[in-house]
Amino acid sequence: MMSAQFASTVLLKRDEVPSFERYPFSLPAIRNLDVLELHPKVTFFIGENGSGKSTLLEGIAVALGFNPEGGTKNFSFDTFASHSELHEHLRIYRGRIQPRNGFFLRAESFYNVATHIEKLDSEPSPPGVYSPPVIESYGGVSLHNQSHGESFLTLMMNRFGPDGIYILDEPEAALSPLRQLSIISLIHDLAEANCQFIIATHSPIIMAYPNAKIYQFSANGIDQIDYFETEHYQVTRDFLTNPKRMLKVLMERS
């Protein structure tokens, strides 16, 4: 029976992988991947840099029809083709209802998305056809005329809507702790409006969203983990509990 959620399961078609000795299939998280069950509301991918979480997130996004550099499914620009072939070997099991909205947010290439929006608005409409500026769907103000963090929030507040699937790669990159708390609120409002999120993050604030499914990427593969067991939470807790002690240990010289 098909699931009601937009994306329920990610499966690696292992028998079609050309070689587990080459990137990205050589990454432990991908090499050991079989089936990954997604939460109907919020799923987090966490792990160290280079663990493969963003690689898998990108593969899922492209397999679902999003532009590798980010944006909606209607965005087809290509600034620099750096994405892997992983999406070709993923099968995404989808629900019986298709999402009405969607967006793939990549912190590292969001500048390119903002530039593409301005390019679209600079092109003339066909004779006799009025098309409202694309930027109106993003708050009406050029994303280049805002700080990185402001543009992220503007995107989520104006472009994200009900019944959507949103794939976010390190959304905390340009956000203060207070703004990260705002992101939690926005995610919750949208989750309550029948939205699904898949998020790769390092933020112990954002991944605290309750009842989410958290997958940790490591040298052993991918494992589901409780929030309070994550290194992100434990390190942050230990540091804030006694910053002087932690700093003393870090700065000691033998």
Side-chain angles (χ1 to χ4, degrees):
M1 186 172 70
M2 293 184 71
S3 169
Q5 67 193 80
F6 300 130
S8 61
T9 306
V10 179
L11 179 144
L12 178 64
K13 295 181 283 187
R14 300 185 62 86
D15 57 335
E16 297 181 12
V17 171
S19 172
F20 282 99
E21 300 304 315
R22 80 181 199 203
Y23 180 86
F25 309 104
S26 58
L27 293 169
I30 307 302
R31 188 171 61 242
N32 295 311
L33 176 62
D34 187 10
V35 175
L36 200 66
E37 301 292 340
L38 300 174
H39 192 279
K41 296 294 186 182
V42 181
T43 302
F44 290 114
F45 292 170
I46 69 170
E48 285 298 327
N49 297 325
S51 62
K53 62 185 185 302
S54 291
T55 302
L56 180 57
L57 192 79
E58 173 193 85
I60 293 170
V62 178
L64 287 173
F66 290 99
N67 187 305
E69 292 189 47
T72 70
K73 292 184 179 181
N74 295 325
F75 284 22
S76 59
F77 68 95
D78 183 1
T79 304
F80 180 72
S82 61
H83 61 287
S84 74
E85 62 181 293
L86 178 59
H87 64 281
E88 300 174 8
H89 302 280
L90 295 178
R91 176 176 291 123
I92 313 296
Y93 289 92
R94 313 184 194 199
R96 60 179 180 268
I97 300 174
Q98 294 299 307
R100 291 170 44 207
N101 295 295
F103 202 94
F104 177 29
L105 170 65
R106 301 189 67 165
E108 65 181 23
S109 58
F110 189 62
Y111 178 92
N112 301 339
V113 172
T115 299
H116 183 64
I117 291 170
E118 295 201 351
K119 180 178 181 295
L120 291 174
D121 282 340
S122 70
E123 298 173 350
S125 300
V129 176
Y130 171 73
S131 298
V134 177
I135 196 61
E136 287 188 7
S137 298
Y138 294 81
V141 178
S142 170
L143 298 174
H144 282 313
N145 292 339
Q146 305 174 54
S147 72
H148 208 179
E150 287 174 329
S151 64
F152 279 19
L153 287 173
T154 295
L155 169 71
M156 292 191 67
M157 290 189 294
N158 293 281
R159 182 59 185 80
F160 289 14
D163 305 307
I165 183 165
Y166 300 104
I167 303 174
L168 315 181
D169 189 11
E170 299 184 11
E172 74 276 7
L175 298 175
S176 69
L178 185 60
R179 293 303 192 189
Q180 291 181 43
L181 292 173
S182 298
I183 289 289
I184 290 179
S185 181
L186 289 169
I187 289 172
H188 182 65
D189 289 344
L190 288 162
E192 292 295 296
N194 195 39
C195 291
Q196 183 178 7
F197 287 84
I198 310 171
I199 305 171
T201 183
H202 292 289
S203 170
I205 294 176
I206 293 177
M207 72 178 70
Y209 184 84
N211 303 317
K213 184 172 285 188
I214 303 176
Y215 284 114
Q216 178 171 271
F217 288 54
S218 71
N220 298 319
I222 305 174
D223 297 292
Q224 189 173 346
I225 188 172
D226 181 78
Y227 171 69
F228 296 105
E229 296 175 353
T230 65
E231 184 179 79
H232 306 72
Y233 167 78
Q234 293 177 357
V235 169
T236 303
R237 177 201 59 196
D238 292 347
F239 182 83
L240 294 177
T241 299
N242 195 336
K244 288 185 178 180
R245 178 179 61 81
M246 290 283 284
L247 289 169
K248 183 175 184 295
V249 171
L250 291 169
M251 295 187 291
E252 279 183 343
R253 295 291 185 268
S254 56

